[in-house]
Amino acid sequence: ISLLQTKYFETATMKSIAAILALATTAAAFSPQTSTIKSTTLAAKEDALDPSIGVTEPLGLYDPLGWLDPSKDPASGFATYHANFERRRAVERKHGRIAMAAVVGMLFHNADIEFPGYLSKELGIRFSDVPNGMNGLFSLPLAGLSQIVFAIGFVELAIWPASDYSGDYGTGYGRPFVPNVLEGEELKYKLDMEINQGRAAMMGIMGAMVGEAVTGQTLAEQIASNNLGLFSTLFE
């Protein structure tokens, strides 16, 4: 039995690695190429109203509903074009950032990489006791869920307010020991990368959630059992 378990673990591990590499390849497809719309003024801070951000090959300018034309925008009756686009871009950017964090967290948790110690010592719940996937949310104690909701609300209202549509919350760009100021083409490249990989992450985490709801299996379990539908032949 132990030999079978070892073989199963090795197979699941190899398939997990292959899936992560496939996800990385897919995300690379959303990496910014040369923009089809050139921005003439790129300052050190992001211009939230610059429609050229995120406009890269192969899609170019993706506006299937035509809302960049104020006459076709259903919100034009109660808000200006600038307010409409600014808010939608801010929502897209924020959801993309959350989705990127969610995808990374999902991959780590599906690989059974958890914090050591207790989630709740009083209830005897360790971090490793929380199941993978969406079931993990329902296994948390009420006090833990309340803390999560309170923390999100505090960040949303006080630290990084949703009313700030710029997306720049003064946290820098994660480059230690050098000035965290980007300009020109480097800034455009980074902003394109953030928007496009955020879009890929939103599709990725939604796909993982739908897949789990349909199959009843987490991503790791689907890979281990080769229950991937049309993509099953990739891991045979």
Side-chain angles (χ1 to χ4, degrees), residues 194-230:
E194 178 185 40
I195 288 292
N196 285 327
Q197 295 198 354
R199 291 167 177 168
M202 285 188 279
M203 291 190 293
I205 195 64
M206 180 59 69
M209 293 171 66
V210 171
E212 183 178 343
V214 171
T215 65
Q217 296 178 310
T218 64
L219 176 63
E221 292 169 342
Q222 292 176 53
I223 294 172
S225 63
N226 205 22
N227 184 19
L228 299 173
L230 296 175

Side-chain angles (χ1 to χ4, degrees), residues 44-153:
K45 291 188 178 294
E46 172 185 354
D47 179 5
L49 298 179
D50 184 359
S52 72
I53 301 300
V55 179
T56 58
E57 299 295 341
L59 290 179
L61 180 61
Y62 184 70
D63 182 28
L65 299 179
W67 284 0
L68 284 177
D69 182 354
S71 65
K72 298 180 181 180
D73 190 342
S76 296
F78 54 87
T80 65
Y81 161 76
H82 284 246
N84 293 346
F85 181 80
E86 186 177 28
R87 183 181 184 281
R88 288 176 184 140
R89 171 48 56 83
V91 170
E92 178 187 33
R93 186 193 304 111
K94 178 173 286 188
H95 286 183
R97 290 172 176 176
I98 294 171
M100 286 187 281
V103 168
V104 172
M106 177 191 65
L107 293 176
F108 269 80
H109 211 229
N110 274 263
D112 292 326
I113 302 174
E114 290 102 6
F115 289 112
Y118 286 89
L119 175 67
S120 173
K121 202 161 189 178
E122 181 181 357
L123 299 176
I125 303 175
R126 304 180 69 91
F127 285 103
S128 57
D129 295 332
V130 178
N132 295 338
M134 291 185 290
N135 287 331
L137 181 64
F138 303 107
S139 67
L140 299 178
L142 180 60
L145 289 174
S146 301
Q147 291 173 19
I148 293 173
V149 172
F150 176 80
I152 293 173

Side-chain angles (χ1 to χ4, degrees), residues 27-46:
F30 287 83
S31 296
Q33 305 297 324
T34 303
S35 174
T36 57
I37 295 182
K38 297 296 183 181
S39 177
T40 56
T41 57
L42 283 172
K45 291 188 178 294
E46 172 185 354

